[in-house]
Amino acid sequence: MLRLPTFLLLAALLTAATAPAQTPPRDLVIKNATLLTATHGRISNGSVLVHDGKIAAFGANVNGPAGATVIDAGGKYVTPGLIDSHSHMALDDDINEATSPIVPQMMMLDAFEYTSKEIYRALAAGVTSAMLLHGSADMIGGQAVIMKTKYGLGRDQLLFPNAPRSIKFASGENPKRVFGMRQQLPSTRMGNFAVQRQALIDAQDYMRQWDEYEAKKQKGDKDAKPPKRDLKLDALADVLRGKLYVQIHCYRADEFLTEMAMAKEFGYKLRAFHHALEAYKVADKIAANDVGVATWADWWGFKHEAWDATPWNAVILMRKGVRVAIKSDSDDQIRRLNQEAAKTMRYGGATEEEALKMITLNAAWIIGVDDRVGSIDVGKDADLVIWDGYPLSSFGIPEKVYIDGELFFDRMLPGYGLTHFVGTPESLPAPPRSGSEPESTEVR
Amino acid sequence: MRKPSESLTCVIPSEDAAYNQNAPGSGAFGLPRPRRGTCFSLLLTLVLFSPALAQQPSRMAATRPGATAIAIKGGKLLTITHGVIENGVVVMENGKITAVGPAASTNVPANARVIDATGMTVYPGLIDSETRLGLTEISAEPSTNDLSEPSDEIMPHMHVADAFHAETDLIPTTRVNGITNAIVAPGTQDTLPGQDSFIQLAGPSADEMLLVRDIAMPLNFTGSQRRKMDWQSGRGTYPTTRMGMAAQLRQSFLDALDYQQKLADSDKRKGEKGVQPVKRDLKLEALLPYLQGKKPIVLAASEPSDLQTAVALANEFHLKLILNHVTHSQSLLDYIARLQAPVIVGPIYDFPKENERYDAVYRLPGELFRRGVKIAFASYDSHQVRNLPYAAGYAVAYGLPYDEAMKALTINAAEIWGLADRLGSLDVGKMANVVVANGDPLDVKTDVKHVFISGQEIPLWDRQMELRDQYSK
């Protein structure tokens, strides 16, 4: 059991009572909760102990040290913070640098509008981490921002510390339409892949030049001249060296196969297919290549390559061994990922834990932060949501959201419900009534 | 409902792309490439003529009221108009509901087919008060869209009934989720884009599915109907401002009143020598039933200023009103209540404004209800009409009483559209549009088990299930 000097505990308590936003409590206990852990099933009447922003213990018989801040969840549900593995929020209109089909040197961080209210609305929906990707106009787009939704803090405090780097690839209708409309290459799927292959060949050549230079230098050749550095080729070389997680926007069954073949040809690894509405048609092959899938629960028909979508996609893939995440790709849907994930319980019969994993642990794996977030497990970041109502339903809505053990959102607070943001909304409605609908009929 | 951005403009069809040689949809030699739906209908034809697969239903799911009675027995009935009946019975015959009541005291005809609904919820078919069903197939493919006529803002003579594609694949995907009726409205590009129809989501052909043609006329006043002004070239098409929109509407109504007068005058002088009949003007003629208050205008506005401008204009011409959206008019809730007009609310998923609380729009249905406003829900969608009940569920989470959410999907909509004598509740004499589900109709996890439209069971089958079965073996 952890012991702390009394004065520290008192200070923590006083701080909590007067200005909860200032210093997060070193010890926090959320007790009397129904824990949906994402890894250890459901724990009724459970507690989570948080120490210094990490989950220190959880279970049915967990008590905090004397003086810990205690939150009584009143039997409500507690889940890990939700994770969106495909978002473009807080990027203003700077999503696509569509002036060339190969722009791996674009850093989404350079466009990251961390004050955007889109982040607030995602936080209020229980989302605590997100991957902000480049758009799909280009075959090879830019590098992602991995963030936590600590709305109200400074830019760098919103960045997920030491997260792996991810890069966006695309295929299919978008690149060929964007460049085809301008009578440029690519305007067909053949063009798409030729452009992608050529870029990777250029990177191989660039790497060879650098290898030759390094070899000469090693031999003591003082006349050896380094090749000119090229940002674009630097980034592509990192793809080939396996230093960037490749996240591919891809819809059609044949294109998954081509992308996987090309990855093999050039020796890089694919992390996940995104959107992936026809992935169910080649589920075995995607599973065999250990590529994840980030998809929607039921969107379809908005374009031709989305015509063969079926809402059973996620569960068919999951049953064949693919790690599946439900993502938003939408500043709207990011506000109800829980509802979207619950659809997999209806379409295909995912269990409660399987559905929850699609918006927590599996999404964390796609981003590459599953050792840090995505479940209620000892040692993980204390990103936790207390829900009013059953989260995997139409009726569950977040009541409190903690990130790294710190309260960032509480819907019962007046104004925006934020703890770290100074400002009041245009009109100040009274906090909405509590006491949600009783848990709706369990279907499975 | 807002579509995912999918990070590019993929949702919005590109006009240029349609005429590009390399664009999707145009094959070699400029011949249109058949879209997959066409291949599918060929496949479907083969399937239908194959005796082994003869039970595979067609997209139309023709409903001809069967003579055999059907009794749904043992379920929890959400009657809407007279409460909940646990362990109830609904009897349907000749397309109508013939009995509703507790199992113990309700007579089931001896010849009836009995469906055991123990543990199930039974409720009237849901009504979506604004959709684009039958007007679009693949959003980004212009050749599959019949949404808006952008050549002019005043297009009251456009009838969605003339474009309604009854065989769309979107309807089976919608009705398997318990939505049995919908308003089909044109796109919102014009102030007066045309006239809505009220549809039944099954039937032998478009004729039967179009339950009421030209049931109402949208009047859109949201700012997005303005035409673009290019200041550099000085080129722009009137109206490029809200003032222009309002003046154009006013002039159109005045023109129609003038036309009405001319018709009356000509009628009076009928038979007199040298009197020429007034030449029919489709546009002005189309406005008359609305100016005469015979049919309602569906007035769409979101911002308070737009709402007040448009309502003043409508009142000037004594139009019968149904309000639509009012998404950002939270400051006018009492004003809206005083108008005593029903409101089609939402989409609940519209974003709040930058300086509003995150739940400002989610709470709107509840706030309107508390002020005595009759509300109905709409998806404003095509492909995702099936998700309509979940939006209502979200409104419940944010303060709308549960029973009111159910009413907003059923009886309120039926009343607003003047069809409460035929739809919207489990009541004797009404059309037998009945749904049986294994749980709460508003919950995402609930699976619909039976859908009856005009008393005929609709096969719970759509293209997406076929794809599932084909690939999950």
Side-chain angles (χ1 to χ4, degrees):
Chain A
M1 188 55 64
L2 303 148
R3 295 277 171 217
L4 288 167
T6 317
F7 75 91
L8 256 184
L9 289 169
L10 273 173
L13 267 179
L14 279 172
T15 316
T18 50
Q22 300 307 308
T23 318
R26 293 209 64 189
D27 290 289
L28 168 77
V29 182
I30 299 172
K31 66 163 200 182
N32 190 19
T34 303
L35 305 180
L36 305 183
T37 61
T39 42
H40 307 277
R42 179 193 273 236
I43 300 170
S44 297
N45 200 11
S47 302
V48 187
L49 170 62
V50 176
H51 177 68
D52 281 348
K54 306 269 185 219
I55 295 169
F58 69 95
N61 299 302
V62 171
N63 290 302
T69 303
V70 177
I71 304 291
D72 188 336
K76 288 177 176 170
Y77 290 93
V78 172
T79 67
L82 309 187
I83 299 172
D84 192 351
S85 50
H86 190 126
S87 171
H88 304 286
M89 69 175 170
L91 295 170
D92 196 8
D93 285 332
D94 297 320
I95 294 170
N96 282 293
E97 181 58 50
T99 47
S100 152
I102 307 290
V103 290
Q105 72 275 36
M106 296 302 119
M107 306 300 288
M108 300 321 286
L109 180 62
D110 294 331
F112 180 38
E113 190 194 4
Y114 69 99
T115 55
S116 165
K117 285 268 171 57
E118 286 155 11
I119 299 173
Y120 156 54
R121 297 195 283 260
L123 166 68
V127 174
T128 54
S129 298
M131 175 156 70
L132 314 187
L133 290 159
H134 189 272
S136 53
D138 305 320
M139 287 306 292
I140 301 183
Q143 299 178 39
V145 166
I146 316 297
M147 61 157 311
K148 288 202 177 190
T149 54
K150 295 183 171 181
Y151 193 69
L153 298 188
R155 185 188 81 168
D156 293 352
Q157 291 165 290
L158 266 68
L159 302 180
F160 198 119
N162 305 310
R165 295 158 61 202
S166 270
I167 188 165
K168 176 74 170 287
F169 280 31
S171 53
E173 286 184 28
N174 288 3
K176 75 170 198 159
R177 183 180 70 248
V178 167
F179 296 96
M181 264 162 46
R182 307 172 194 161
Q183 304 295 317
Q184 289 169 2
L185 182 73
S187 66
T188 59
R189 285 180 166 83
M190 302 86 85
N192 280 352
F193 286 121
V195 164
Q196 182 175 332
R197 187 175 273 114
Q198 184 61 55
L200 295 168
I201 288 168
D202 293 347
Q204 281 177 330
D205 191 53
Y206 181 68
M207 286 164 76
R208 184 187 50 75
Q209 290 174 37
W210 275 97
D211 289 346
E212 281 172 12
Y213 162 72
E214 294 295 342
K216 277 185 193 164
K217 214 169 69 175
Q218 287 245 310
K219 279 185 198 155
D221 182 351
K222 282 182 185 146
D223 295 333
K225 270 199 189 142
K228 181 171 171 275
R229 264 195 67 197
D230 183 307
L231 279 180
K232 190 198 278 195
L233 296 171
D234 273 347
L236 292 174
D238 278 353
V239 169
L240 296 178
R241 290 186 193 107
K243 289 185 177 172
L244 279 163
Y245 281 180
V246 177
Q247 313 282 359
I248 304 191
H249 158 118
C250 194
Y251 282 86
R252 241 170 56 174
D254 54 297
E255 287 174 300
F256 302 119
L257 305 183
T258 308
E259 288 287 7
M260 290 191 291
M262 203 182 303
K264 246 178 218 148
E265 178 186 338
F266 286 90
Y268 60 93
K269 184 99 184 59
L270 306 182
R271 190 64 174 184
F273 288 119
H274 292 245
H275 313 320
L277 294 185
E278 288 189 18
Y280 67 95
K281 294 183 178 177
V282 288
D284 290 331
K285 288 177 172 144
I286 293 173
N289 281 277
D290 197 27
V291 184
V293 162
T295 187
W296 294 289
D298 64 357
W299 287 95
W300 70 291
F302 44 90
K303 54 174 163 171
H304 192 266
E305 62 190 1
W307 185 244
D308 267 8
T310 176
W312 283 269
N313 185 34
V315 174
I316 292 173
L317 287 163
M318 183 186 78
R319 299 264 183 260
K320 298 244 169 114
V322 179
R323 278 189 195 82
V324 182
I326 298 293
K327 49 81 191 184
S328 76
D329 184 23
S330 152
D331 301 336
D332 168 26
Q333 269 199 18
I334 197 171
R335 303 180 299 164
R336 52 180 186 285
L337 281 178
N338 57 312
Q339 212 183 72
E340 295 305 303
K343 286 177 182 170
T344 65
M345 298 169 79
R346 184 254 175 103
Y347 296 112
T351 63
E352 170 183 281
E353 184 144 298
E354 286 168 342
L356 182 60
K357 264 188 189 166
M358 293 191 196
I359 46 172
T360 54
L361 194 63
N362 291 358
W365 183 86
I366 284 169
I367 301 175
V369 291
D370 50 317
D371 56 334
R372 318 256 296 278
V373 292
S375 62
I376 298 182
D377 272 301
V378 173
K380 283 200 169 176
D381 295 355
D383 298 353
L384 299 164
V385 183
I386 302 177
W387 296 83
D388 195 356
Y390 180 52
L392 292 159
S393 77
S394 297
F395 309 108
I397 54 179
E399 185 167 291
K400 289 186 172 70
V401 183
Y402 294 85
I403 305 178
D404 293 330
E406 197 174 350
L407 183 68
F408 275 83
F409 170 78
D410 181 347
R411 74 184 285 250
M412 298 314 286
L413 290 174
Y416 286 112
L418 290 165
T419 55
H420 289 70
F421 178 77
V422 182
T424 45
E426 196 171 57
S427 56
L428 265 178
R433 79 193 174 96
S434 187
S436 56
E437 293 306 301
E439 183 175 330
S440 61
T441 322
E442 286 289 339
V443 174
R444 287 184 179 90
Chain B
M1 283 173 226
R2 198 176 294 265
K3 291 204 167 63
S5 66
E6 210 257 331
S7 79
L8 197 69
T9 54
C10 62
V11 173
I12 301 153
S14 158
E15 299 290 338
D16 299 339
Y19 303 104
N20 186 316
Q21 282 292 305
N22 298 321
S26 54
F29 313 111
L31 290 171
R33 194 175 64 191
R35 61 182 183 81
R36 281 189 231 178
T38 312
C39 304
F40 168 71
S41 47
L42 286 173
L43 177 72
L44 188 72
T45 311
L46 291 173
V47 164
L48 285 172
F49 284 95
S50 154
L53 295 165
Q55 78 277 16
Q56 286 282 27
S58 81
R59 276 176 278 190
M60 298 304 288
T63 54
R64 286 191 182 85
T68 317
I70 299 173
I72 302 166
K73 208 174 164 181
K76 171 184 174 179
L77 311 185
L78 311 181
T79 67
I80 308 297
T81 44
H82 48 284
V84 174
I85 302 172
E86 301 283 350
N87 190 17
V89 169
V90 179
V91 182
M92 302 176 283
E93 210 166 349
N94 294 318
K96 295 247 166 82
I97 296 174
T98 52
V100 181
S105 58
T106 306
N107 192 33
V108 174
N111 65 339
R113 175 189 157 208
V114 177
I115 290 168
D116 181 10
T118 310
M120 302 273 170
T121 308
V122 184
Y123 51 99
L126 305 181
I127 303 169
D128 190 324
S129 287
E130 185 171 331
T131 74
R132 315 272 174 256
L133 287 173
L135 301 182
T136 179
E137 203 73 20
I138 300 177
S139 314
E141 298 297 327
S143 63
T144 72
N145 291 323
D146 293 294
L147 291 162
S148 286
E149 276 294 343
S151 56
D152 191 8
E153 295 69 36
I154 308 296
M155 301 299 278
H157 54 317
M158 296 300 110
H159 308 273
V160 294
D162 288 335
F164 176 66
H165 181 225
E167 296 84 354
T168 172
D169 270 313
L170 277 62
I171 283 180
T173 294
T174 303
R175 67 187 176 211
V176 297
N177 218 22
I179 292 130
T180 59
N181 294 88
I183 285 285
V184 178
T188 56
Q189 224 172 320
D190 304 327
T191 44
L192 297 178
Q195 297 185 50
D196 298 353
S197 283
F198 188 96
I199 61 162
Q200 177 98 308
L201 267 64
S205 76
D207 270 351
E208 293 81 3
M209 290 169 76
L210 287 159
L211 220 53
V212 185
R213 293 166 188 249
D214 300 336
I215 194 168
M217 182 171 75
L219 189 164
N220 297 313
F221 204 86
T222 65
S224 65
Q225 293 79 30
R226 287 170 295 176
R227 291 347 195 197
K228 273 210 182 92
M229 178 74 198
D230 183 351
W231 289 97
Q232 205 148 12
S233 68
R235 264 187 227 115
T237 312
Y238 176 76
T240 62
T241 59
R242 283 176 167 83
M243 303 85 83
M245 280 163 49
Q248 189 189 38
L249 282 166
R250 188 172 276 116
Q251 188 62 57
S252 302
F253 292 141
L254 289 172
D255 291 350
L257 290 173
D258 182 60
Y259 175 70
Q260 181 175 247
Q261 191 58 51
K262 280 198 184 112
L263 286 177
D265 292 348
S266 145
D267 202 40
K268 244 184 252 166
R269 298 175 56 203
K270 212 176 189 174
E272 284 178 31
K273 255 194 185 160
V275 175
Q276 296 286 323
V278 179
K279 190 184 169 208
R280 277 181 66 192
D281 183 317
L282 280 183
K283 227 180 234 202
L284 300 176
E285 184 180 276
L287 290 173
L288 295 183
Y290 299 94
L291 286 164
Q292 292 158 1
K294 288 180 184 159
K295 291 180 181 184
I297 294 278
V298 185
L299 189 152
S302 175
E303 300 292 327
S305 51
D306 285 343
L307 181 64
Q308 285 180 307
T309 300
V311 167
L313 186 68
N315 285 344
E316 194 179 320
F317 292 93
H318 311 289
L319 303 177
K320 191 174 158 191
L321 282 187
I322 297 169
L323 300 181
N324 198 5
H325 299 306
V326 305
T327 318
H328 295 300
S329 293
Q330 281 89 348
S331 59
L332 291 182
L333 294 175
D334 295 324
Y335 163 87
I336 291 168
R338 281 198 301 277
L339 291 173
Q340 298 196 315
V343 176
I344 304 163
V345 63
I348 190 172
Y349 302 126
D350 264 355
F351 293 116
K353 291 202 275 189
E354 275 299 290
N355 53 0
E356 283 180 340
R357 226 179 109 97
Y358 76 104
D359 57 1
V361 182
Y362 299 152
R363 290 168 61 190
L364 191 57
E367 296 295 334
L368 287 167
F369 162 71
R370 265 183 283 288
R371 283 163 178 82
V373 178
K374 180 178 286 177
I375 57 167
F377 286 111
S379 66
Y380 303 96
D381 209 286
S382 45
H383 299 80
Q384 297 299 58
V385 176
R386 61 178 167 188
N387 288 338
L388 175 75
Y390 316 142
Y394 224 50
V396 170
Y398 285 97
L400 179 69
Y402 184 90
D403 292 351
E404 294 303 324
M406 282 305 298
K407 281 187 194 168
L409 295 170
T410 54
I411 192 70
N412 287 4
E415 285 171 2
I416 290 169
W417 301 111
L419 291 158
D421 56 329
R422 296 156 79 183
L423 292 166
S425 63
L426 299 181
D427 275 303
V428 171
K430 286 201 180 179
M431 197 183 272
N433 288 6
V434 181
V435 182
V436 181
N438 68 353
D440 185 333
L442 305 187
D443 190 20
V444 274
K445 293 188 299 304
T446 300
D447 213 355
V448 170
K449 296 295 184 187
H450 302 274
V451 176
F452 298 87
I453 295 181
S454 276
Q456 185 148 327
E457 181 148 25
I458 300 302
L460 289 183
W461 175 91
D462 71 356
R463 194 167 172 277
Q464 303 191 342
M465 295 178 197
E466 188 189 82
L467 286 163
R468 170 199 66 191
D469 292 348
Q470 200 177 334
Y471 287 95
S472 59
K473 273 163 198 152

